[in-house]
Amino acid sequence: MSVNIFGKTNAGSSQRVISGGVTLSQAINTFLRRDGKNAADANINMDSHNIINVLDPMNAQDAATKNYVDTRAVSKTGDTMTGTLDMNGRAITNLLDPSAAQGAATKSYVDKQDSAQIITLNSYVDTHAVSKSGDTMTGDLNMGGRMVKGLPVHYPPTTYLGSEASSWSQVTQLVNAEVQNAIKITKELITKELITNTPKKSYSGYVPILEENISRTGFVTTASAVTTGNFQAYGAFNSLNADGSNGSWATPAKKGWLQIKCPEAVTIWRVALKARAIDGKNITEWNFSGSNDGKTFEPLLTSTTKLFGSANAPLFFDISTTTAYLYYRLAIQASTGAGDLGVQVMQLYVLST
C-alpha cells in the first residue's frame, strides 16, 4: 500500500493517479513502505532525529538499540565484566600500577616486584637454606625416607671423630671387619675351649705296677679262677715279677675272665693285651667290657684277633666309648693248647681333660 506526502492513501484502488498522473507503482519505487516490503536505495538522513521503539537486533547487520549496547558493550567510562574477556593475543596498554589486590599488574610493577622478591629470596635462602659449600644445621633434618648419597669412605676410619655420618660402604666395611674380628675371637675362644675341655688321649698306662690283688694304690683285681697262688690276678699288672712268681695270671680252664676295679670311674680309649708267655697257649676269641656296679657289663670290644703266648710285645686295641667305667673285664671265649691259659699284660689307657 503506498503513502503520499500527506500521509494519505486510497485503499480501494491500486492504480489511482496522484498529483498529476503518479501511479502507485511509481510511488512504491519512490517512497519507503510502512509494511517494510521495500528497501531504501541510499542513506537516510534523520537530520538529528531519533529512530525510536526499535527492537533489539537479531541479525549481524541489524541496528542496535541503546539498551542492547549498554548491556553488552564495555563502557569506556568504567564497567564490570560479567564474563571472561578473551584478548585473542592482543595487549592491554596504558594501565596504572595496581593499588588493589585484584588489580591488573603492569610489566613495570611486576619487574619491580621481581627485583624486590629476588633480594628478599636471596636473603631468605642465605639464612634458611643449607649451603652446598658446607654449612651447620640449626635443627633436625628429616629425610622423609630418602637417602643421603655420596658420603666419603675412610678405611681404616682414622679421620672420624665419632659424630660423622658413615656411608653404606663404610658401614659395611666396618661391620665386616668387626664380624671377621668377632669370628676370629670366637674361633680362638672355641679352639681354646675345645683344647681345654676336649679329652686328651694318654699314652701312658693308667694302671701302675700292682703288688697285691687289693693294692695300696686303690686298684682291686679279681679273676674267674687261678691255677696256683703264683698266678694271681694282679700278676697281669706286675711287669717286675717273672712268670710263675705272680708275673702273669693263669687259669686251669680254657676259658675265664680277668677283671680290674679302678679307684674311680675312667673313660678309656685303648687297651694293651698279651697272652701268658708259653708257646702254643693262645687266646683266639675274646671280648672286653666295662661296668659301674661289677655285675652288669657293657661290651666295648669283641675280637677274634689271636693273642699269642709266643709274642714278645702286647697288642694295642682302640676302644670307642665316651662312658667312664669303674670296672674293666677281659673275658676269654676260646683258646688253644692245654691248661694254664693266662694273661701276662693287661693295661688301660684313659682319656683325660
Side-chain angles (χ1 to χ4, degrees):
M1 181 180 291
S2 60
V3 180
N4 61 22
I5 61 173
F6 303 106
K8 297 181 180 181
T9 183
N10 184 353
S13 175
S14 59
Q15 297 294 327
R16 184 175 179 178
V17 177
I18 301 175
S19 300
V22 178
T23 68
L24 180 60
S25 297
Q26 291 173 327
I28 291 172
N29 293 331
T30 304
F31 304 102
L32 290 176
R33 291 174 60 101
R34 293 179 62 186
D35 60 8
K37 290 185 177 180
N38 64 348
D41 292 334
N43 295 333
I44 298 176
N45 186 347
M46 297 303 298
D47 195 21
S48 301
H49 294 86
N50 292 328
I51 299 176
I52 61 174
N53 295 323
V54 178
L55 290 175
D56 286 343
M58 297 178 61
N59 301 312
Q61 297 303 115
D62 290 353
T65 66
K66 180 179 184 299
N67 177 70
Y68 183 85
V69 173
D70 289 345
T71 57
R72 286 168 173 77
V74 178
S75 175
K76 65 185 296 182
T77 62
D79 215 332
T80 299
M81 295 296 298
T82 59
T84 302
L85 179 62
D86 185 352
M87 298 304 297
N88 195 26
R90 269 58 175 186
I92 298 176
T93 62
N94 296 323
L95 289 175
L96 289 176
D97 286 344
S99 58
Q102 297 302 111
T106 65
K107 180 178 182 299
S108 172
Y109 180 83
V110 172
D111 290 344
K112 291 177 182 179
Q113 298 305 310
D114 285 346
S115 177
Q117 287 293 328
I118 289 172
I119 295 173
T120 302
L121 286 174
N122 286 341
S123 176
Y124 183 87
V125 168
D126 289 343
T127 56
H128 293 83
V130 178
S131 173
K132 65 185 295 183
S133 63
D135 219 327
T136 300
M137 296 296 296
T138 59
D140 295 335
L141 179 62
N142 187 343
M143 296 306 298
R146 270 62 174 183
M147 294 188 296
V148 177
K149 296 183 177 181
L151 291 172
V153 177
H154 303 289
Y155 191 81
T158 55
T159 61
Y160 282 127
L161 300 176
S163 60
E164 295 88 345
S166 299
S167 66
W168 175 252
S169 175
Q170 182 72 60
V171 171
T172 301
Q173 289 182 354
L174 293 175
V175 170
N176 286 340
E178 290 300 319
V179 169
Q180 293 301 320
N181 188 48
I183 291 174
K184 179 182 178 182
I185 293 174
T186 302
K187 286 182 177 179
E188 291 175 353
L189 291 175
I190 292 174
T191 301
K192 184 177 180 180
E193 185 74 10
L194 289 174
I195 292 174
T196 302
N197 297 321
T198 300
K200 302 176 184 63
K201 293 179 179 180
S202 175
Y203 288 87
S204 298
Y206 176 64
V207 183
I209 296 173
L210 302 184
E211 77 289 352
E212 295 286 346
N213 283 333
I214 301 176
S215 173
R216 292 188 297 270
T217 59
F219 291 89
V220 178
T221 59
T222 54
S224 57
V226 295
T227 54
T228 67
N230 293 327
F231 295 95
Q232 296 293 326
Y234 78 89
F237 303 93
N238 191 327
S239 60
L240 298 180
N241 293 345
D243 186 76
S245 299
N246 286 319
S248 297
W249 163 71
T251 176
K254 295 181 69 67
K255 295 182 180 182
W257 51 264
L258 173 65
Q259 175 181 294
I260 185 168
K261 178 185 178 184
C262 303
E264 60 183 357
V266 292
T267 304
I268 67 170
W269 68 278
R270 174 177 285 184
V271 62
L273 298 172
K274 181 182 179 301
R276 184 183 171 201
I278 298 178
D279 192 17
K281 296 185 181 294
N282 305 319
I283 301 172
T284 58
E285 186 177 338
W286 53 274
N287 64 60
F288 195 79
S289 58
S291 172
N292 279 310
D293 60 6
K295 298 177 181 179
T296 303
F297 283 82
E298 297 294 331
L300 300 177
L301 179 63
T302 298
S303 178
T304 56
T305 300
K306 292 182 180 180
L307 304 177
F308 292 101
S310 60
N312 294 322
L315 297 179
F316 295 89
F317 299 91
D318 289 345
I319 304 296
S320 179
T321 182
T322 58
T323 304
Y325 292 106
L326 192 62
Y327 297 85
Y328 288 96
R329 175 183 287 186
L330 171 67
I332 301 171
Q333 302 297 323
S335 61
T336 59
D340 296 333
L341 180 72
V343 175
Q344 187 179 26
V345 175
M346 177 173 163
Q347 183 58 269
L348 307 178
Y349 296 87
V350 301
L351 290 173
S352 59
T353 57

PDB file of all heavy atoms in Angstrom, residues 151-176:
ATOM      1  N   LEU A 151      78.449 -40.053  50.358  1.00  0.00           N
ATOM      2  CA  LEU A 151      79.268 -39.897  51.555  1.00  0.00           C
ATOM      3  C   LEU A 151      80.655 -40.483  51.332  1.00  0.00           C
ATOM      4  O   LEU A 151      80.817 -41.454  50.587  1.00  0.00           O
ATOM      5  CB  LEU A 151      78.586 -40.590  52.742  1.00  0.00           C
ATOM      6  CG  LEU A 151      77.292 -39.934  53.240  1.00  0.00           C
ATOM      7  CD1 LEU A 151      76.624 -40.809  54.273  1.00  0.00           C
ATOM      8  CD2 LEU A 151      77.584 -38.562  53.824  1.00  0.00           C
ATOM      9  N   PRO A 152      81.679 -39.937  51.991  1.00  0.00           N
ATOM     10  CA  PRO A 152      83.048 -40.452  51.789  1.00  0.00           C
ATOM     11  C   PRO A 152      83.248 -41.793  52.472  1.00  0.00           C
ATOM     12  O   PRO A 152      82.493 -42.186  53.362  1.00  0.00           O
ATOM     13  CB  PRO A 152      83.926 -39.369  52.431  1.00  0.00           C
ATOM     14  CG  PRO A 152      83.044 -38.787  53.492  1.00  0.00           C
ATOM     15  CD  PRO A 152      81.653 -38.800  52.921  1.00  0.00           C
ATOM     16  N   VAL A 153      84.289 -42.489  52.011  1.00  0.00           N
ATOM     17  CA  VAL A 153      84.674 -43.770  52.612  1.00  0.00           C
ATOM     18  C   VAL A 153      86.097 -43.646  53.116  1.00  0.00           C
ATOM     19  O   VAL A 153      87.004 -43.306  52.358  1.00  0.00           O
ATOM     20  CB  VAL A 153      84.577 -44.921  51.582  1.00  0.00           C
ATOM     21  CG1 VAL A 153      85.059 -46.220  52.203  1.00  0.00           C
ATOM     22  CG2 VAL A 153      83.143 -45.078  51.100  1.00  0.00           C
ATOM     23  N   HIS A 154      86.287 -43.888  54.404  1.00  0.00           N
ATOM     24  CA  HIS A 154      87.615 -43.870  55.005  1.00  0.00           C
ATOM     25  C   HIS A 154      87.835 -45.210  55.681  1.00  0.00           C
ATOM     26  O   HIS A 154      87.092 -45.592  56.576  1.00  0.00           O
ATOM     27  CB  HIS A 154      87.741 -42.744  56.038  1.00  0.00           C
ATOM     28  CG  HIS A 154      87.456 -41.385  55.491  1.00  0.00           C
ATOM     29  ND1 HIS A 154      88.295 -40.738  54.628  1.00  0.00           N
ATOM     30  CD2 HIS A 154      86.405 -40.556  55.666  1.00  0.00           C
ATOM     31  CE1 HIS A 154      87.787 -39.555  54.301  1.00  0.00           C
ATOM     32  NE2 HIS A 154      86.633 -39.426  54.914  1.00  0.00           N
ATOM     33  N   TYR A 155      88.837 -45.930  55.245  1.00  0.00           N
ATOM     34  CA  TYR A 155      89.127 -47.210  55.881  1.00  0.00           C
ATOM     35  C   TYR A 155      90.634 -47.433  55.920  1.00  0.00           C
ATOM     36  O   TYR A 155      91.267 -47.422  54.875  1.00  0.00           O
ATOM     37  CB  TYR A 155      88.448 -48.354  55.136  1.00  0.00           C
ATOM     38  CG  TYR A 155      88.515 -49.647  55.927  1.00  0.00           C
ATOM     39  CD1 TYR A 155      87.599 -49.873  56.957  1.00  0.00           C
ATOM     40  CD2 TYR A 155      89.496 -50.582  55.669  1.00  0.00           C
ATOM     41  CE1 TYR A 155      87.661 -51.045  57.698  1.00  0.00           C
ATOM     42  CE2 TYR A 155      89.551 -51.750  56.405  1.00  0.00           C
ATOM     43  CZ  TYR A 155      88.637 -51.974  57.415  1.00  0.00           C
ATOM     44  OH  TYR A 155      88.701 -53.139  58.150  1.00  0.00           O
ATOM     45  N   PRO A 156      91.238 -47.630  57.052  1.00  0.00           N
ATOM     46  CA  PRO A 156      90.563 -47.587  58.359  1.00  0.00           C
ATOM     47  C   PRO A 156      90.113 -46.170  58.701  1.00  0.00           C
ATOM     48  O   PRO A 156      90.662 -45.212  58.165  1.00  0.00           O
ATOM     49  CB  PRO A 156      91.648 -48.078  59.318  1.00  0.00           C
ATOM     50  CG  PRO A 156      92.924 -47.790  58.628  1.00  0.00           C
ATOM     51  CD  PRO A 156      92.679 -47.936  57.160  1.00  0.00           C
ATOM     52  N   PRO A 157      89.091 -46.033  59.584  1.00  0.00           N
ATOM     53  CA  PRO A 157      88.471 -44.718  59.842  1.00  0.00           C
ATOM     54  C   PRO A 157      89.315 -43.823  60.738  1.00  0.00           C
ATOM     55  O   PRO A 157      88.930 -43.461  61.837  1.00  0.00           O
ATOM     56  CB  PRO A 157      87.157 -45.111  60.514  1.00  0.00           C
ATOM     57  CG  PRO A 157      87.478 -46.383  61.216  1.00  0.00           C
ATOM     58  CD  PRO A 157      88.469 -47.105  60.343  1.00  0.00           C
ATOM     59  N   THR A 158      90.492 -43.455  60.246  1.00  0.00           N
ATOM     60  CA  THR A 158      91.390 -42.650  61.078  1.00  0.00           C
ATOM     61  C   THR A 158      90.956 -41.191  61.143  1.00  0.00           C
ATOM     62  O   THR A 158      91.394 -40.454  62.013  1.00  0.00           O
ATOM     63  CB  THR A 158      92.819 -42.727  60.515  1.00  0.00           C
ATOM     64  OG1 THR A 158      92.793 -42.337  59.134  1.00  0.00           O
ATOM     65  CG2 THR A 158      93.355 -44.135  60.619  1.00  0.00           C
ATOM     66  N   THR A 159      90.074 -40.759  60.189  1.00  0.00           N
ATOM     67  CA  THR A 159      89.673 -39.361  60.161  1.00  0.00           C
ATOM     68  C   THR A 159      88.358 -39.102  60.886  1.00  0.00           C
ATOM     69  O   THR A 159      87.925 -37.969  60.961  1.00  0.00           O
ATOM     70  CB  THR A 159      89.529 -38.885  58.705  1.00  0.00           C
ATOM     71  OG1 THR A 159      88.521 -39.657  58.052  1.00  0.00           O
ATOM     72  CG2 THR A 159      90.840 -39.042  57.959  1.00  0.00           C
ATOM     73  N   TYR A 160      87.711 -40.130  61.368  1.00  0.00           N
ATOM     74  CA  TYR A 160      86.431 -39.944  62.044  1.00  0.00           C
ATOM     75  C   TYR A 160      86.635 -39.462  63.472  1.00  0.00           C
ATOM     76  O   TYR A 160      87.551 -39.891  64.163  1.00  0.00           O
ATOM     77  CB  TYR A 160      85.626 -41.244  62.067  1.00  0.00           C
ATOM     78  CG  TYR A 160      84.945 -41.546  60.764  1.00  0.00           C
ATOM     79  CD1 TYR A 160      85.126 -42.774  60.127  1.00  0.00           C
ATOM     80  CD2 TYR A 160      84.114 -40.604  60.161  1.00  0.00           C
ATOM     81  CE1 TYR A 160      84.502 -43.057  58.918  1.00  0.00           C
ATOM     82  CE2 TYR A 160      83.489 -40.868  58.956  1.00  0.00           C
ATOM     83  CZ  TYR A 160      83.688 -42.087  58.354  1.00  0.00           C
ATOM     84  OH  TYR A 160      83.067 -42.357  57.164  1.00  0.00           O
ATOM     85  N   LEU A 161      85.732 -38.558  63.888  1.00  0.00           N
ATOM     86  CA  LEU A 161      85.772 -38.051  65.261  1.00  0.00           C
ATOM     87  C   LEU A 161      84.704 -38.691  66.136  1.00  0.00           C
ATOM     88  O   LEU A 161      84.672 -38.472  67.331  1.00  0.00           O
ATOM     89  CB  LEU A 161      85.577 -36.527  65.254  1.00  0.00           C
ATOM     90  CG  LEU A 161      86.632 -35.732  64.460  1.00  0.00           C
ATOM     91  CD1 LEU A 161      86.268 -34.262  64.464  1.00  0.00           C
ATOM     92  CD2 LEU A 161      88.024 -35.951  65.037  1.00  0.00           C
ATOM     93  N   GLY A 162      83.799 -39.455  65.511  1.00  0.00           N
ATOM     94  CA  GLY A 162      82.766 -40.141  66.275  1.00  0.00           C
ATOM     95  C   GLY A 162      81.370 -39.653  65.993  1.00  0.00           C
ATOM     96  O   GLY A 162      80.398 -40.315  66.316  1.00  0.00           O
ATOM     97  N   SER A 163      81.209 -38.430  65.368  1.00  0.00           N
ATOM     98  CA  SER A 163      79.874 -37.895  65.112  1.00  0.00           C
ATOM     99  C   SER A 163      79.573 -37.780  63.623  1.00  0.00           C
ATOM    100  O   SER A 163      78.507 -37.308  63.237  1.00  0.00           O
ATOM    101  CB  SER A 163      79.733 -36.514  65.764  1.00  0.00           C
ATOM    102  OG  SER A 163      80.703 -35.619  65.237  1.00  0.00           O
ATOM    103  N   GLU A 164      80.477 -38.203  62.750  1.00  0.00           N
ATOM    104  CA  GLU A 164      80.262 -38.095  61.321  1.00  0.00           C
ATOM    105  C   GLU A 164      79.333 -39.206  60.831  1.00  0.00           C
ATOM    106  O   GLU A 164      79.316 -40.290  61.383  1.00  0.00           O
ATOM    107  CB  GLU A 164      81.601 -38.203  60.556  1.00  0.00           C
ATOM    108  CG  GLU A 164      82.576 -37.080  60.827  1.00  0.00           C
ATOM    109  CD  GLU A 164      83.460 -37.366  62.021  1.00  0.00           C
ATOM    110  OE1 GLU A 164      83.121 -38.282  62.786  1.00  0.00           O
ATOM    111  OE2 GLU A 164      84.479 -36.688  62.184  1.00  0.00           O
ATOM    112  N   ALA A 165      78.550 -38.864  59.767  1.00  0.00           N
ATOM    113  CA  ALA A 165      77.711 -39.878  59.131  1.00  0.00           C
ATOM    114  C   ALA A 165      78.600 -40.773  58.279  1.00  0.00           C
ATOM    115  O   ALA A 165      79.526 -40.301  57.620  1.00  0.00           O
ATOM    116  CB  ALA A 165      76.640 -39.211  58.268  1.00  0.00           C
ATOM    117  N   SER A 166      78.302 -42.058  58.304  1.00  0.00           N
ATOM    118  CA  SER A 166      79.083 -43.027  57.537  1.00  0.00           C
ATOM    119  C   SER A 166      78.286 -43.470  56.318  1.00  0.00           C
ATOM    120  O   SER A 166      77.069 -43.606  56.378  1.00  0.00           O
ATOM    121  CB  SER A 166      79.413 -44.246  58.399  1.00  0.00           C
ATOM    122  OG  SER A 166      80.187 -43.884  59.514  1.00  0.00           O
ATOM    123  N   SER A 167      78.992 -43.707  55.213  1.00  0.00           N
ATOM    124  CA  SER A 167      78.345 -44.237  54.023  1.00  0.00           C
ATOM    125  C   SER A 167      78.037 -45.710  54.249  1.00  0.00           C
ATOM    126  O   SER A 167      78.581 -46.359  55.146  1.00  0.00           O
ATOM    127  CB  SER A 167      79.262 -44.085  52.806  1.00  0.00           C
ATOM    128  OG  SER A 167      80.413 -44.902  52.965  1.00  0.00           O
ATOM    129  N   TRP A 168      77.126 -46.226  53.390  1.00  0.00           N
ATOM    130  CA  TRP A 168      76.771 -47.649  53.488  1.00  0.00           C
ATOM    131  C   TRP A 168      78.007 -48.507  53.256  1.00  0.00           C
ATOM    132  O   TRP A 168      78.221 -49.516  53.920  1.00  0.00           O
ATOM    133  CB  TRP A 168      75.688 -47.983  52.468  1.00  0.00           C
ATOM    134  CG  TRP A 168      75.347 -49.443  52.421  1.00  0.00           C
ATOM    135  CD1 TRP A 168      75.641 -50.336  51.444  1.00  0.00           C
ATOM    136  CD2 TRP A 168      74.652 -50.183  53.430  1.00  0.00           C
ATOM    137  NE1 TRP A 168      75.178 -51.581  51.764  1.00  0.00           N
ATOM    138  CE2 TRP A 168      74.564 -51.516  52.992  1.00  0.00           C
ATOM    139  CE3 TRP A 168      74.111 -49.852  54.669  1.00  0.00           C
ATOM    140  CZ2 TRP A 168      73.945 -52.510  53.740  1.00  0.00           C
ATOM    141  CZ3 TRP A 168      73.497 -50.848  55.410  1.00  0.00           C
ATOM    142  CH2 TRP A 168      73.413 -52.150  54.942  1.00  0.00           C
ATOM    143  N   SER A 169      78.832 -48.092  52.299  1.00  0.00           N
ATOM    144  CA  SER A 169      80.061 -48.837  52.044  1.00  0.00           C
ATOM    145  C   SER A 169      80.960 -48.828  53.270  1.00  0.00           C
ATOM    146  O   SER A 169      81.551 -49.843  53.646  1.00  0.00           O
ATOM    147  CB  SER A 169      80.792 -48.232  50.836  1.00  0.00           C
ATOM    148  OG  SER A 169      82.037 -48.853  50.636  1.00  0.00           O
ATOM    149  N   GLN A 170      81.045 -47.633  53.912  1.00  0.00           N
ATOM    150  CA  GLN A 170      81.875 -47.529  55.114  1.00  0.00           C
ATOM    151  C   GLN A 170      81.359 -48.423  56.222  1.00  0.00           C
ATOM    152  O   GLN A 170      82.109 -49.165  56.863  1.00  0.00           O
ATOM    153  CB  GLN A 170      81.889 -46.074  55.592  1.00  0.00           C
ATOM    154  CG  GLN A 170      82.767 -45.831  56.820  1.00  0.00           C
ATOM    155  CD  GLN A 170      84.236 -45.913  56.464  1.00  0.00           C
ATOM    156  OE1 GLN A 170      84.699 -45.150  55.634  1.00  0.00           O
ATOM    157  NE2 GLN A 170      84.966 -46.816  57.068  1.00  0.00           N
ATOM    158  N   VAL A 171      80.034 -48.341  56.430  1.00  0.00           N
ATOM    159  CA  VAL A 171      79.430 -49.158  57.486  1.00  0.00           C
ATOM    160  C   VAL A 171      79.637 -50.633  57.201  1.00  0.00           C
ATOM    161  O   VAL A 171      79.958 -51.426  58.092  1.00  0.00           O
ATOM    162  CB  VAL A 171      77.920 -48.836  57.612  1.00  0.00           C
ATOM    163  CG1 VAL A 171      77.230 -49.824  58.551  1.00  0.00           C
ATOM    164  CG2 VAL A 171      77.723 -47.424  58.113  1.00  0.00           C
ATOM    165  N   THR A 172      79.463 -51.013  55.916  1.00  0.00           N
ATOM    166  CA  THR A 172      79.635 -52.416  55.535  1.00  0.00           C
ATOM    167  C   THR A 172      81.054 -52.881  55.826  1.00  0.00           C
ATOM    168  O   THR A 172      81.275 -53.974  56.360  1.00  0.00           O
ATOM    169  CB  THR A 172      79.315 -52.608  54.045  1.00  0.00           C
ATOM    170  OG1 THR A 172      77.967 -52.193  53.806  1.00  0.00           O
ATOM    171  CG2 THR A 172      79.464 -54.064  53.640  1.00  0.00           C
ATOM    172  N   GLN A 173      82.033 -52.041  55.475  1.00  0.00           N
ATOM    173  CA  GLN A 173      83.424 -52.410  55.721  1.00  0.00           C
ATOM    174  C   GLN A 173      83.697 -52.531  57.217  1.00  0.00           C
ATOM    175  O   GLN A 173      84.348 -53.480  57.669  1.00  0.00           O
ATOM    176  CB  GLN A 173      84.348 -51.368  55.097  1.00  0.00           C
ATOM    177  CG  GLN A 173      84.381 -51.402  53.574  1.00  0.00           C
ATOM    178  CD  GLN A 173      85.345 -50.371  53.011  1.00  0.00           C
ATOM    179  OE1 GLN A 173      85.908 -49.566  53.739  1.00  0.00           O
ATOM    180  NE2 GLN A 173      85.515 -50.390  51.699  1.00  0.00           N
ATOM    181  N   LEU A 174      83.173 -51.552  57.968  1.00  0.00           N
ATOM    182  CA  LEU A 174      83.406 -51.587  59.414  1.00  0.00           C
ATOM    183  C   LEU A 174      82.736 -52.795  60.044  1.00  0.00           C
ATOM    184  O   LEU A 174      83.320 -53.480  60.896  1.00  0.00           O
ATOM    185  CB  LEU A 174      82.885 -50.293  60.047  1.00  0.00           C
ATOM    186  CG  LEU A 174      83.634 -49.005  59.681  1.00  0.00           C
ATOM    187  CD1 LEU A 174      82.931 -47.805  60.276  1.00  0.00           C
ATOM    188  CD2 LEU A 174      85.084 -49.068  60.151  1.00  0.00           C
ATOM    189  N   VAL A 175      81.486 -53.054  59.622  1.00  0.00           N
ATOM    190  CA  VAL A 175      80.760 -54.202  60.183  1.00  0.00           C
ATOM    191  C   VAL A 175      81.459 -55.502  59.805  1.00  0.00           C
ATOM    192  O   VAL A 175      81.636 -56.399  60.634  1.00  0.00           O
ATOM    193  CB  VAL A 175      79.299 -54.204  59.686  1.00  0.00           C
ATOM    194  CG1 VAL A 175      78.619 -55.509  60.054  1.00  0.00           C
ATOM    195  CG2 VAL A 175      78.543 -53.042  60.303  1.00  0.00           C
ATOM    196  N   ASN A 176      81.858 -55.597  58.521  1.00  0.00           N
ATOM    197  CA  ASN A 176      82.544 -56.815  58.084  1.00  0.00           C
ATOM    198  C   ASN A 176      83.833 -57.015  58.871  1.00  0.00           C
ATOM    199  O   ASN A 176      84.185 -58.141  59.246  1.00  0.00           O
ATOM    200  CB  ASN A 176      82.843 -56.748  56.586  1.00  0.00           C
ATOM    201  CG  ASN A 176      81.599 -56.945  55.747  1.00  0.00           C
ATOM    202  OD1 ASN A 176      80.600 -57.480  56.230  1.00  0.00           O
ATOM    203  ND2 ASN A 176      81.642 -56.530  54.501  1.00  0.00           N
TER     204      ASN A 176
END
